[in-house]
């Protein structure tokens, strides 16, 4: 089979650059309105929407509109943005029924962290007790 440019199994610096680019990013497409999502909150820097494959009664994602691939690629200049993101995650968890019993706030990173979408996102899972340790 001839490897295609979009095939993540064949890596090169150029293909790696391509996959770190927002042109290939599902969440950037949601931000642009090219893919529909059930939005919970939006402003000029942040977007929150329900996960398409929920793992708990409450399961939504909060993302920065800036395309940051993962938490390892955060820059010091992103500190305020990430602070806002976490504060918004807290606020939305509370308004979605998780104030009393809490929730799980998860940021998966790269392959060992189980990240499947390369645009930084915080999962908020609630409405049931979570197990520990994670798989
Ligand atoms: P990760 O595995 O990267 O931590 O989480 C990515 C999450 O994004 C998964 O829970 C997955 O269900 C969700 N997801 C992937 N594609 C879409 C989509 O097109 N729309 C929505 N709403 N969620 C998505
Ligand atoms: Zn993106």
């Amino acid at each position: 089979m001839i490897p295609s440019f979009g095939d993540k199994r064949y890596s090169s610096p150029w293909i790696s650059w391509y996959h770190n680019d927002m042109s290939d990013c599902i969440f950037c497409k949601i931000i642009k309105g090219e893919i529909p999502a059930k939005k919970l909150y939006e402003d000029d820097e942040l977007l929150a929407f329900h996960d398409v494959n929920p793992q708990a009664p409450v399961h939504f994602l909060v993302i920065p509109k800036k395309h940051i691939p993962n938490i390892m690629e955060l820059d010091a200049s992103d500190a305020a943005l990430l602070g806002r993101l976490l504060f918004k995650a807290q606020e939305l968890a509370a308004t979605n029924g998780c104030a009393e019993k809490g929730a799980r706030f998860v940021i998966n990173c790269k392959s060992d962290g189980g990240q499947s979408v390369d645009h930084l996102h915080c999962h908020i899972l609630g409405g049931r007790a979570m197990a520990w340790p994670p798989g």
Side-chain angles (χ1 to χ4, degrees), residues 6-123:
D7 193 329
K8 282 195 179 190
R9 288 173 300 173
Y10 302 96
S11 85
S12 78
W14 284 108
I15 289 174
S16 168
W17 168 82
Y18 176 78
H19 283 294
N20 280 334
D21 185 63
M22 58 183 286
S23 61
D24 190 39
C25 174
I26 294 169
F27 288 175
C28 282
K29 288 179 179 165
I30 288 176
I31 291 163
K32 286 186 273 181
E34 293 171 8
I35 293 176
K38 286 204 272 177
K39 294 179 184 177
L40 285 161
Y41 175 81
E42 181 166 19
D43 65 28
D44 56 343
E45 289 187 319
L46 301 173
L47 178 64
F49 53 94
H50 291 280
D51 197 292
V52 78
N53 183 23
Q55 302 300 311
V58 175
H59 187 181
F60 62 90
L61 308 171
V62 185
I63 69 173
K65 287 192 171 177
K66 177 181 176 184
H67 178 85
I68 301 167
N70 59 64
I71 200 164
M72 291 297 183
E73 298 190 39
L74 273 184
D75 186 83
S77 65
D78 298 318
L81 175 63
L82 263 290
R84 280 206 65 225
L85 187 153
L86 284 179
F87 197 65
K88 186 55 66 182
Q90 177 241 58
E91 188 183 303
L92 292 171
T95 54
N96 282 273
C98 303
E100 190 192 336
K101 291 192 167 180
R104 173 99 24 108
F105 298 73
V106 177
I107 298 177
N108 295 322
C109 181
K110 300 178 112 176
S111 53
D112 274 2
Q115 184 178 8
S116 61
V117 177
D118 294 335
H119 182 127
L120 180 65
H121 51 281
C122 180
H123 294 257

